[in-house]
Amino acid sequence: MAETVQVTGTIYDVAIVGGGPGGYTAAFRAAQYGLKVALIEKTDKLGGTCLHWGCVPTKALLFNAEIWDHMQHASDFGISFGAGSGDGPAPKPTLDWGAVQQRKNGIIVKHTKGLDFLVKKNKVTRIQGYGRLTGSAVDGVHTVDVAGPNGDASQVQTSQIKAKNVILATGSEARMLPGLTPDDRILTNIEILALEQVPKSLIIVGAGAVGSEFASMFRTFGAEVTVLEFLPRIMALEDEEVSKELTRLFKKRGIDVNTGAKVETIERTASGVKVSYTDANGRPQVKEAEKVLVAVGRAPRTAEVGLEKTKVELERGSVKVDEAQQTAEPGVFAIGDIVAGLPLLAHVGMMSGMVAAAKIAGKKFRPVRRDRVPACTFTEPQIGSVGLTEAQARAGGHEVKIGKFPFAGNSKATVLGSHDGFVKVVADAKFGEILGVHILGPGATDLIAEAVTVLELEGTVEEMMFTIHAHPTLSESLLDAYGAVEGMAINA
Ligand SMILES: Cc1cc2nc3c(=O)[nH]c(=O)nc-3n(C[C@H](O)[C@H](O)[C@H](O)COP(=O)(O)OP(=O)(O)OC[C@H]3O[C@@H](n4cnc5c(N)ncnc54)[C@H](O)[C@@H]3O)c2cc1C
């Protein structure tokens, strides 16, 4: 271990380790409460996985995919790209992948600069370096060792930060299959976002949100896509009907979806990759492609941050916290992707950061509840869901009533030319309380906001059936789905 060469005199109210969405949100909120805040980030950029290799770049590329898809079907909207010359075919739109990547990168740069601005605006002290707790607090003050950028062991450790409270927000990284390291053909979410061209063929191992979004995106851009999912269904955390319908729609779009597929080996070939797997019937199969994306989940970054010297408790590598995001070590909090029992989503990181900041500042807060977290997947069509699935509600002992409304009956969906999918409402039969809402279809990732509010305010079917939804909007599909719970959808 390199020697400490400098100790700063300041004692911060809170030091935050990790500048992703969890960490920077906690920093800004703590500063807004008037606390003295240090934000320690190992790289020279704030924003974490979300801004650089996750939410933002994927959504930028998915939006391009949506536009590209519209271009392919422009004639459905009465649009053509000119008559062409002579007897030749009419010109077709072309995809400039370099420009697509440039636009995505520009969005990242813009928002990275935005975070730099907000750090200054909130008077947060920003420290670049790799943070590690040194142990329990001494006289109520914690010490975080900060080593050179990226935690490079060869770099001289430059400082120790003293703080009354520490928030750990070190995030997660892609899990790899045993024995594999990512390269130019075996990809994680990081390498796939930097591809110089759209691959002709792509195998995706794992069909959770990350795998499914890339499958949807690259299929739209013209790649031959094969999905290999170990579980019996894709998007396995969603309501079963959502998984089933998305599978049907993926297959209709030409995505080769294989569930119950156990990947055995991934090898490089002369021109690409070869994936050997056992199919759902136990038969060995081999599939070759130009590239393979491994999207088999995320591992929390809880090693090498000094936890072993504290009372912080782990559960399969993730940090156990109470409802105020406090760990078992007094004065040490954990937020975001490293927390046990919460989904690995940016908005969970952000809200858990706000909860920790409020607790430290002695302010009121509402704990992050698992069943109030919206999950959004930006496939075509999109998924937005919150609360209990039908199966979870039944397993939890609820007598359940279901309302389901297809987007085919929604006039705005017709205007958009986007009729696939449905809204499904899971309600308690006795009291009419809405327990879960599951949307597959156009605008699902925005529409779900209404459902989150309904669940948060413990709304009932009856209340929502008499809540005016503007016409013609996609939100009316929710109104019809609430009505469908009582067998009274107007438009179906
Ligand atoms: C492809 C992909 C798409 C996604 N899309 C979405 C989406 O659409 N919506 C959504 O809600 N979520 C999405 N996610 C998940 C989302 O990115 C994460 O949930 C979110 O980034 C977690 O935030 P965090 O602050 O906990 O950690 P991170 O974003 O991982 O940030 C952690 C930060 O801590 C730094 N760090 C780590 N260790 C140290 C240390 N010891 N010292 C100093 N700094 C350190 C890292 O450099 C990093 O900047 C996506 C993820 C992926 C991979």
Side-chain angles (χ1 to χ4, degrees):
M1 167 72 77
E3 237 178 285
T4 303
V5 294
Q6 179 202 333
V7 178
T8 60
T10 312
I11 296 179
Y12 292 92
D13 292 313
V14 52
I16 298 161
V17 185
Y24 71 69
T25 304
F28 300 161
R29 180 51 57 86
Q32 287 164 347
Y33 284 134
L35 301 179
K36 195 164 180 48
V37 184
L39 179 58
I40 304 160
E41 164 58 47
K42 67 179 180 176
T43 69
D44 61 351
K45 293 181 186 71
L46 298 179
T49 300
C50 172
L51 180 52
H52 300 282
W53 306 285
C55 328
V56 177
T58 52
K59 266 82 259 182
L61 294 180
L62 281 155
F63 184 60
N64 274 88
E66 200 179 323
I67 296 176
W68 179 242
D69 188 53
H70 281 311
M71 299 284 181
Q72 305 305 304
H73 301 102
S75 60
D76 295 353
F77 298 88
I79 298 168
S80 64
F81 298 92
S85 56
D87 295 334
K92 283 190 172 160
T94 50
L95 188 68
D96 180 346
W97 185 248
V100 169
Q101 287 283 26
Q102 230 174 9
R103 180 175 187 274
K104 176 207 76 181
N105 295 339
I107 293 167
I108 297 172
V109 169
K110 179 179 184 309
H111 283 269
T112 307
K113 284 186 184 156
L115 290 173
D116 295 344
F117 164 76
L118 291 173
V119 165
K120 289 193 185 118
K121 183 187 163 209
N122 287 295
K123 299 192 173 51
V124 166
T125 303
R126 180 170 166 180
I127 296 156
Q128 193 190 339
Y130 188 96
R132 269 188 199 87
L133 275 169
T134 56
S136 297
V138 177
D139 297 331
V141 176
H142 287 279
T143 303
V144 181
D145 277 344
V146 182
N150 299 313
D152 181 344
S154 67
Q155 301 225 13
V156 175
Q157 188 170 308
T158 54
S159 58
Q160 284 194 325
I161 301 300
K162 303 269 182 194
K164 292 178 201 158
N165 299 279
V166 174
I167 300 178
L168 299 169
T170 48
S172 65
E173 55 206 10
R175 281 188 203 280
M176 254 292 149
L177 293 169
L180 288 181
T181 30
D183 55 26
D184 61 333
R185 291 186 215 163
I186 301 173
L187 317 170
T188 69
N189 62 298
I190 294 180
E191 297 77 27
I192 198 168
L193 282 168
L195 287 180
E196 283 170 12
Q197 50 200 2
V198 174
K200 285 197 176 53
S201 53
L202 174 67
I203 297 172
I204 297 181
V205 182
V210 172
S212 297
E213 284 185 354
F214 280 114
S216 186
M217 176 199 304
F218 279 105
R219 181 64 197 140
T220 303
F221 285 134
E224 190 189 293
V225 176
T226 303
V227 169
L228 302 176
E229 167 58 57
F230 177 68
L231 295 171
R233 59 190 175 102
I234 65 168
M235 293 301 301
L237 297 178
E238 295 295 340
D239 190 274
E240 279 184 40
E241 286 192 85
V242 169
S243 295
K244 199 170 158 198
E245 183 61 2
L246 185 67
T247 305
R248 189 184 73 78
L249 294 168
F250 266 13
K251 285 184 175 170
K252 197 170 138 194
R253 289 175 55 199
I255 298 173
D256 179 16
V257 180
N258 301 270
T259 52
K262 184 170 184 287
V263 170
E264 309 289 353
T265 56
I266 298 179
E267 294 160 69
R268 288 169 69 95
T269 60
S271 60
V273 288
K274 184 167 93 176
V275 178
S276 305
Y277 65 98
T278 309
D279 71 15
N281 300 314
R283 282 192 296 258
Q285 303 285 355
V286 174
K287 185 90 194 173
E288 294 200 33
E290 199 180 313
K291 313 266 181 197
V292 59
L293 168 70
V294 180
V296 293
R298 312 269 310 164
R301 282 197 205 98
T302 49
E304 308 288 326
V305 282
L307 298 188
E308 63 290 348
K309 299 173 200 156
T310 69
K311 297 189 192 74
V312 172
E313 289 172 14
L314 296 180
E315 187 180 299
R316 280 183 284 140
S318 301
V319 181
K320 281 165 84 171
V321 294
D322 66 9
E323 60 172 26
Q325 305 297 137
Q326 296 179 115
T327 69
E329 173 68 43
V332 176
F333 295 71
I335 61 172
D337 278 9
I338 58 169
V339 171
L342 285 175
L344 279 63
L345 292 167
H347 42 278
V348 173
M350 293 170 185
M351 191 51 79
S352 56
M354 292 192 241
V355 168
K359 175 70 185 172
I360 292 168
K363 305 289 180 190
K364 273 193 180 166
F365 65 89
R366 285 160 76 96
V368 176
R369 276 183 56 172
R370 174 77 185 82
D371 59 351
R372 297 284 189 269
V373 175
C376 292
T377 307
F378 295 70
T379 40
E380 172 51 46
Q382 297 183 346
I383 305 171
S385 67
V386 65
L388 303 181
T389 63
E390 182 179 347
Q392 285 167 344
R394 291 190 195 285
H398 289 277
E399 199 186 316
V400 168
K401 264 187 161 179
I402 301 296
K404 208 172 150 196
F405 179 77
F407 277 101
N410 178 272
S411 50
K412 180 65 188 287
T414 310
V415 170
L416 298 176
S418 192
H419 263 154
D420 289 328
F422 54 80
V423 177
K424 176 173 175 178
V425 173
V426 179
D428 181 87
K430 208 158 147 202
F431 303 108
E433 185 181 347
I434 295 170
L435 304 171
V437 175
H438 308 275
I439 309 173
L440 176 74
T445 56
D446 286 312
L447 289 175
I448 201 62
E450 165 175 315
V452 179
T453 310
V454 172
L455 262 70
E456 196 64 51
L457 300 178
E458 299 181 357
T460 64
V461 170
E462 189 188 37
E463 285 165 335
M464 294 316 295
M465 279 175 74
F466 287 95
T467 299
I468 301 173
H469 289 67
H471 178 75
T473 65
L474 294 171
S475 73
E476 287 173 287
S477 59
L478 281 153
L479 182 63
D480 268 317
Y482 303 131
V485 175
E486 299 300 341
M488 290 196 283
I490 297 294
N491 295 293

